Each structure stands twice: as structure tokens, then as C-alpha cells.
Amino acid sequence: MVGIDGGGRADAYDDARSPRAHQDLPGGTPGAGTGDLAADSTLPTELIALLVMHGETYWEYAHLHLGDADAADDLVDGVFADLAAHWDVVLRQENVQEFCWGVLRATVDDALERLSRPSAFTAAAFAVAMNDARGTFQALESGIGLFSVIGDLPGRQHDAVVLTYVLGYPVVTAARVMGITRSGVYSLRREARRRLAAALGLDERTAAEAEEQ
């Protein structure tokens, strides 16, 4: 299964290197496969619930990094199909939602490696944030450079910032998607804020005030 090693662990965050996928990204039309999966009564009920609750968020995250709607749609379809095929392994995990998010993240990293191209995150996130006027980190914004730094954050810090500041999800939603507590999201954002402030040449107090606006 993409993103899961022999022990059933998602190599998705920080120190772990994403495993290579076993097949190329398939072609397809945006939204088609995910809708078909959600309507498949043979899928585990818990997986259907996860797809309904977080499928769009998974897609938005994949789209930011792949820079292609069709590829993002196919990738998310593949993640949920793989999760369904290995549901017994998934259920053995201590935290199912955190594990599934890790598989999604590892699969995105793997896809970029196979396509031999960098993430499209920097330009895509800048466009999203500017078009929607999202994110209190605008007070920290130094042109597109801020989003380049966000792209370089360690895995979980990156995800917490992307979900809450770039994609505009409430902390409680980001926590559910990532399978962690709200305090965990706040902690990750504080750590990320320190890194961003240092990279942008700002003092931490200025960064903290910007986050609170």
C-alpha cells in the first residue's frame, strides 16, 4: 500500500522518507472517483465517513502540492482505495485519522518524487491566500517568500499552517483532519511561527502579534 511499510506504519512526517509508490498516477476527471467511492456500499462505514468528512480537505492539500486538479483527484481516489483494500491494517493503528492523513501526505510526497518535480505549493498557496485574503500571517507576509518558507517547514508544522492559515480551516477542523488535539495544532503553529519569524528576520513577539490579529 502506498505510504505504508511492512509494519503497517505511515511514513508521512518529519524524519521519515516517503516510500516509493507501486504504480503511476492514473488519469481521470476531477471529483468522479471520489464520488464513486463514497457511494460504494461495500466500503467500510468508517472509511466512507472519513471520505465524506475529510475528502475535500485531502484534495485541497494534494492540489496545492501537485498543482493539477486532475492529478489531485486521482491521487486522493487512490489513497482511499488503498485504505479500503488494507482496512484491517488501518484499524490496527493507534490513531486511525492521524494514520490516514499520514498516508495521504506520504503519497503526495511520493507522487512528486516520481514526477521529478518540486511541490507547486509556494505559488499555489500564495495565490489562494491573496485571492481569498486568508490568514493572519498576512501581517508576516514578505511577498512570495513567506510561502516558500512555509513550504520548507517540517511535516506536521507545515500541515498545521497550511490547513489553518492557507486553506482557512478552523483549528478544530484541522485537528480532526490530522488526527490530533486542538492543543496539538496550536503547539505546532507556535513552533512554526518561531521558524517563520527566524527565516523572515522577525522577532518572535512580532510574529506572535501577527498570528493573533
Side-chain angles (χ1 to χ4, degrees):
M1 179 177 178
V2 175
I4 300 180
D5 67 13
R9 179 173 60 84
D11 285 333
Y13 283 127
D14 300 346
D15 297 331
R17 184 175 183 273
S18 300
R20 293 197 62 81
H22 304 299
Q23 58 184 7
D24 291 334
L25 287 174
T29 55
T34 302
D36 292 343
L37 283 172
D40 187 349
S41 61
T42 66
L43 293 180
T45 303
E46 301 94 330
L47 182 59
I48 294 176
L50 182 72
L51 175 59
V52 171
M53 288 189 299
H54 301 321
E56 181 177 356
T57 307
Y58 279 33
W59 182 87
E60 287 186 310
Y61 185 91
H63 188 202
L64 275 177
H65 286 281
L66 297 178
D68 183 279
D70 289 349
D73 189 70
D74 292 335
L75 184 143
V76 173
D77 288 351
V79 166
F80 278 95
D82 279 348
L83 290 171
H86 298 81
W87 194 240
D88 58 331
V89 174
V90 176
L91 289 180
R92 291 200 295 269
Q93 308 310 308
E94 183 176 350
N95 186 320
V96 169
Q97 289 198 348
E98 183 178 23
F99 179 80
C100 292
W101 177 254
V103 172
L104 179 277
R105 195 178 196 284
T107 306
V108 169
D109 290 346
D110 181 80
L112 291 171
E113 182 180 345
R114 288 184 291 109
L115 292 169
S116 298
R117 72 185 190 202
S119 171
F121 170 79
T122 299
F126 182 78
V128 169
M130 295 302 100
N131 288 340
D132 294 346
R134 282 176 174 162
T136 55
F137 263 115
Q138 278 191 322
L140 284 174
E141 195 253 311
S142 177
I144 203 167
L146 169 64
F147 295 94
S148 177
V149 177
I150 292 174
D152 292 334
L153 287 170
R156 296 188 189 216
Q157 293 177 30
H158 172 83
D159 293 353
V161 170
V162 168
L163 290 172
T164 58
Y165 289 118
V166 179
L167 295 178
Y169 287 102
V171 169
V172 63
T173 302
R176 288 171 181 163
V177 170
M178 294 177 67
I180 61 177
T181 63
R182 282 179 291 178
S183 61
V185 174
Y186 282 120
S187 177
L188 289 167
R189 293 201 317 186
R190 284 194 299 272
E191 294 168 6
R193 185 184 67 215
R194 295 188 187 101
R195 287 177 178 267
L196 290 170
L200 295 172
L202 299 173
D203 61 77
E204 189 175 336
R205 180 177 177 180
T206 299
E209 290 172 352
E211 183 178 2
E212 291 168 359
Q213 290 181 1

